[in-house]
Amino acid sequence: MKNSNNNSNTKLILLHPYIQKQGGSSRFWLLAFVSFFTFAFLLTLIYTRETLPVKSTTAMATGSASSPTFGNINAPLPTPVINTLLHYASRSNDSFHMSHAEIKPISDVLRKFSSPCNFLVFGLTHETLLWKALNHNGRTVFIEENRYYAAYYEELHPEIDVFDVQYTTKMEEMRDLIASTKKQIRNECRPVQNLLFSECKLGINDLPNHVYEVDWDVILVDGPRGDGPEGPGRMAPIFTAGVLARNKKASNAKTHIFVHDYYRNVERIYGDEFLCRENLVESNDMLAHFVVEKMDENSFQFCSNKPSTSSS
């Protein structure tokens, strides 16, 4: 009986080898599955990188706008596209927009440049997006007096390059500023200099460094505000444009400078003083077109036909 009870209470535990073998097989298939998808992902990534358009390193080096490398990206905008842009821009309901007669000369100059054009614009205006579009494949930079509006506009249009500047001039100082500039024409206010290091009252010296290093082909002065004696006026932009043009280092020695609202005293007087009548190509009541050539660094007068007081 005792042996019988011992036999009945004995429990036998069997470890079947299939359990261990089944776990190893699952891990093998899991590893194979992960390896397959990793390989497929790498192939997809490599293929995608080869087929995506890349930015031109040449364009980046020269600072011009970069575009995908496929197609003829350096081709200028077709004439019908340009004419359409001018048509609708000049027929805006905005009371401060330029007319077709004012826009057309600037557009014509931009189209003459076979290589990417460096275009500097003082003022964010109704035509800002138009200037960016017309200077296709080129570099277009805008200078704005209102830092809040500049930040808002850049957020609204990330493709636009805007830098704000704090003007220290006032319209009522127009005559005094010319007199003080003439006194310093051989020092701080000389025609050929890097304005980044200038203390001339009319020179704009607080822009990013690279703005002073670029050889600008076209400059448009359409800002800041020019109304009222307390307004900053456009004295500093006109003087700065004249110095930037004369300080060029590139083989293309000429800079096209447009001054908008030329019927006003500041624009006309400062245009004559620092851009010079001898460089005036064409003008009407609203727009003046000057072509200013670079000068030797030892030059100390802005206009050859109008010697400055100090040089006299």
Side-chain angles (χ1 to χ4, degrees):
M1 289 292 294
K2 187 175 182 179
N3 292 338
S4 174
N5 289 336
N6 289 340
N7 292 337
S8 62
N9 292 332
T10 302
K11 296 181 179 179
L12 181 63
I13 300 176
L14 295 178
L15 297 176
H16 200 287
Y18 178 73
I19 297 176
Q20 186 176 3
K21 191 177 293 185
Q22 186 179 26
S25 177
S26 299
R27 286 194 296 271
F28 171 77
W29 285 110
L30 179 62
L31 180 62
F33 181 79
V34 172
S35 300
F36 171 77
F37 274 94
T38 302
F39 180 71
F41 173 76
L42 290 174
L43 282 180
T44 304
L45 181 62
I46 294 172
Y47 175 77
T48 304
R49 290 186 63 183
E50 289 179 350
T51 55
L52 280 175
V54 295
K55 291 183 177 181
S56 168
T57 56
T58 303
M60 292 178 67
T62 57
S64 60
S66 53
S67 305
T69 56
F70 56 80
N72 188 8
I73 63 166
N74 291 323
L77 286 176
T79 299
V81 174
I82 293 178
N83 290 339
T84 302
L85 290 172
L86 300 186
H87 172 81
Y88 286 105
S90 62
R91 282 162 174 74
S92 167
N93 291 327
D94 191 328
S95 58
F96 296 102
H97 74 274
M98 285 186 176
S99 66
H100 185 274
E102 297 164 59
I103 297 174
K104 187 69 164 55
I106 304 172
S107 171
D108 290 343
V109 169
L110 291 174
R111 293 180 65 185
K112 289 179 181 178
F113 286 90
S114 56
S115 58
C117 173
N118 293 322
F119 186 20
L120 181 64
V121 183
F122 288 91
L124 285 176
T125 65
H126 172 80
E127 292 77 26
T128 295
L129 295 179
L130 175 67
W131 302 138
K132 175 67 176 178
L134 291 177
N135 192 24
H136 185 55
N137 292 324
R139 180 209 299 253
T140 307
V141 172
F142 297 88
I143 309 299
E144 170 59 30
E145 63 172 313
N146 189 325
R147 66 174 60 182
Y148 302 106
Y149 185 58
Y152 165 77
Y153 203 94
E154 201 166 27
E155 182 179 357
L156 198 63
H157 303 284
E159 74 279 9
I160 299 295
D161 291 326
V162 186
F163 301 108
D164 65 274
V165 62
Q166 301 301 311
Y167 293 102
T168 59
T169 56
K170 293 183 179 180
M171 290 275 291
E172 61 186 6
E173 303 171 336
M174 177 183 68
R175 304 285 181 180
D176 294 337
L177 286 171
I178 288 182
S180 64
T181 300
K182 287 182 176 181
K183 291 179 182 179
Q184 294 292 322
I185 202 165
R186 288 185 172 271
N187 297 301
E188 297 297 338
C189 300
R190 58 190 183 276
V192 183
Q193 61 171 308
N194 187 340
L195 287 172
L196 182 63
F197 308 105
S198 176
E199 295 297 328
C200 183
K201 292 182 180 180
L202 284 177
I204 300 175
N205 62 2
D206 57 348
L207 294 172
N209 293 12
H210 67 271
V211 174
Y212 302 100
E213 297 169 359
V214 173
D215 287 324
W216 299 103
D217 301 301
V218 183
I219 301 176
L220 169 62
V221 179
D222 199 12
R225 292 170 292 118
D227 51 339
E230 295 297 319
R234 298 176 184 173
M235 297 86 74
I238 292 175
F239 174 86
T240 299
V243 173
L244 291 174
R246 293 175 173 91
N247 197 49
K248 286 183 75 169
K249 302 296 187 293
S251 57
N252 181 17
K254 296 181 179 180
T255 303
H256 295 263
I257 301 177
F258 292 91
V259 179
H260 193 224
D261 298 319
Y262 192 58
Y263 67 93
R264 301 192 299 203
N265 284 338
V266 166
E267 282 76 2
R268 189 174 295 273
I269 292 174
Y270 273 72
D272 292 348
E273 190 70 38
F274 300 113
L275 303 180
C276 308
R277 278 276 176 176
E278 67 218 45
N279 299 323
L280 184 62
V281 176
E282 59 180 341
S283 68
N284 52 46
D285 286 344
M286 294 303 297
L287 188 71
H289 177 195
F290 299 85
V291 178
V292 180
E293 296 192 27
K294 67 179 181 180
M295 277 185 173
D296 182 83
E297 62 181 354
N298 295 318
S299 300
F300 297 105
Q301 60 184 45
F302 284 86
C303 307
S304 61
N305 294 337
K306 186 179 181 181
S308 64
T309 302
S310 59
S311 62
S312 301

